[in-house]
């Protein structure tokens, strides 16, 4: 399968058209930040261009800072957004647990719309990938003797990211990818505090299954509603755990006194 542009269909195959097509593939998430691009031979075959045009197109992307090339290692897609996880703001977000609830609200805004768009715009290939990510998560939960919280959090995040990519909105996809560290921290918190409790665990598994079905069956409004319910119920459960912990602390203080 090739990736022809309009210019390529007309047979011009200019370096500018090659660069433009590669840019579009990066925007669409086919090639992701940090990913090594395929070999020149494979790119030439897929794009239907000469090696000379490809190399000049890659040079154009390098000049824009979109890719980086190391001799003997090939070309890698650059990180398109600044490393915000090292900024003072990101440090404050990570070090103050109360921002977890703010992050869940942001996730609801972004992922609710992602689910709706994925259900209405997703292609058969998107549905295959979403199902694959969902099945990886479900199989791990079903077969693991002991849950590795970090591993499950990454599988959970991968499932939600696959849904976002199926929205075919590059701005939405890259916005969520720019928040990966923060999003993973919220998923990690959800898994760590909720998954060992039978009630919340069954709720999360059930909601993931419903979200998967709604998206792959092409039910936009149901997909949005399930995504919102999923994040809302996680927030409610985490708040209840926090309140319970505070009640236990107050009771212990009254029992022990201050002497």
């Amino acid at each position: 399968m090739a990736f022809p542009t309009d210019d390529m269909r007309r047979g011009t195959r200019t370096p500018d058209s090659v660069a433009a097509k590669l840019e579009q593939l990066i925007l669409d998430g086919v090639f992701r930040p940090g990913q090594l691009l395929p070999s020149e031979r494979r790119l030439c075959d897929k794009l239907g261009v000469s090696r000379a045009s490809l190399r000049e197109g890659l040079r154009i992307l390098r000049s824009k800072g979109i890719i980086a090339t190391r001799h003997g290692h090939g070309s890698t897609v650059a990180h398109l957004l600044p490393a915000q996880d090292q900024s003072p703001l990101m440090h404050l977000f990570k070090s103050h647990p109360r921002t977890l609830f703010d992050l869940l609200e942001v996730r609801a805004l972004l992922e609710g719309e992602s689910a709706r768009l994925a259900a209405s715009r997703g292609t058969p290939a998107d549905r295959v990938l979403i199902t694959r990510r969902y099945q990886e998560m479900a199989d791990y939960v079903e077969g693991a003797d002991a849950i590795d919280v970090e591993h499950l959090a990454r599988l959970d995040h991968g499932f939600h990211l696959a849904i976002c990519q199926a929205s075919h909105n590059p701005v939405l996809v890259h916005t969520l990818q720019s928040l990966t560290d923060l999003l993973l921290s919220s998923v990690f918190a959800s898994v760590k505090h909720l998954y060992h409790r039978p009630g919340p665990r069954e709720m999360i598994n059930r909601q993931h299954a419903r979200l998967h079905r709604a998206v792959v069956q092409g039910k936009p409004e149901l997909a949005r509603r399930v995504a919102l319910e999923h994040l809302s119920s996680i927030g409610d459960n985490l708040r209840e755990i926090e309140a319970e912990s505070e009640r236990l602390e107050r009771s212990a203080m009254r029992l022990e006194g201050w002497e």
Side-chain angles (χ1 to χ4, degrees):
M1 175 184 174
F3 304 117
T5 64
D6 290 339
D7 283 342
M8 290 174 185
R9 291 190 188 97
R10 292 193 295 268
T12 56
R13 295 182 176 85
T14 65
D16 284 337
S17 69
V18 174
K21 184 56 187 178
L22 289 171
E23 287 176 349
Q24 189 62 53
L25 292 172
I26 291 169
L27 274 176
D28 290 343
V30 176
F31 301 136
R32 297 180 298 279
Q35 179 180 343
L36 184 68
L37 292 178
S39 67
E40 287 188 358
R41 177 183 298 178
R42 185 161 177 77
L43 283 173
C44 288
D45 179 58
K46 288 285 189 180
L47 296 172
V49 299
S50 68
R51 184 161 292 190
S53 292
L54 176 67
R55 287 178 173 174
E56 183 61 19
L58 292 174
R59 187 197 65 76
I60 292 171
L61 295 187
R62 278 195 300 274
S63 71
K64 296 179 178 179
I66 295 174
I67 65 170
T69 302
R70 289 176 57 199
H71 183 68
H73 291 81
S75 297
T76 302
V77 180
H79 290 281
L80 305 178
L81 293 165
Q84 294 177 336
D85 57 310
Q86 300 302 318
S87 72
L89 181 60
M90 291 300 109
H91 172 74
L92 288 173
F93 282 165
K94 288 181 177 179
S95 58
H96 290 269
R98 292 298 307 170
T99 61
L100 171 62
F101 299 110
D102 299 324
L103 183 55
L104 285 170
E105 289 181 358
V106 172
R107 282 187 62 190
L109 291 170
L110 297 177
E111 293 184 22
E113 187 63 11
S114 292
R116 186 185 72 81
L117 292 174
S120 60
R121 297 177 177 175
T123 67
D126 290 326
R127 291 192 286 273
V128 168
L129 183 58
I130 291 169
T131 297
R132 187 179 299 165
R133 295 291 174 262
Y134 169 74
Q135 204 59 55
E136 288 171 352
M137 178 177 60
D139 288 347
Y140 178 72
V141 168
E142 183 72 22
D145 293 328
I147 296 294
D148 181 318
V149 172
E150 184 173 353
H151 182 62
L152 179 54
R154 291 190 177 278
L155 292 175
D156 188 319
H157 177 63
F159 169 59
H160 288 283
L161 182 58
I163 292 175
C164 179
Q165 290 170 333
S167 72
H168 290 273
N169 183 319
V171 176
L172 184 57
V173 173
H174 286 282
T175 298
L176 276 172
Q177 286 180 331
S178 73
L179 296 172
T180 290
D181 283 352
L182 282 176
L183 292 176
L184 270 173
S185 72
S186 79
V187 177
F188 182 85
S190 303
V191 173
K192 179 181 178 182
H193 295 296
L194 299 180
Y195 216 78
H196 66 285
R197 298 170 178 243
R201 180 173 65 247
E202 292 172 7
M203 175 199 73
I204 292 171
N205 291 343
R206 185 173 61 252
Q207 289 171 342
H208 279 154
R210 289 179 62 213
L211 179 58
H212 169 251
R213 284 197 302 271
V215 171
V216 299
Q217 291 175 2
K219 299 178 179 178
E221 293 308 321
L222 177 60
R224 179 179 180 275
R225 186 164 67 249
V226 173
L228 293 177
E229 289 174 0
H230 174 54
L231 292 164
S232 176
S233 59
I234 286 175
D236 291 343
N237 275 273
L238 289 174
R239 285 188 177 89
E240 177 54 33
I241 291 173
E242 183 180 60
E244 178 185 357
S245 177
E246 291 174 353
R247 289 194 294 269
L248 289 171
E249 184 177 355
R250 286 194 296 269
S251 298
M253 289 173 63
R254 285 194 295 268
L255 179 64
E256 295 172 2
W258 287 88
E259 298 178 3

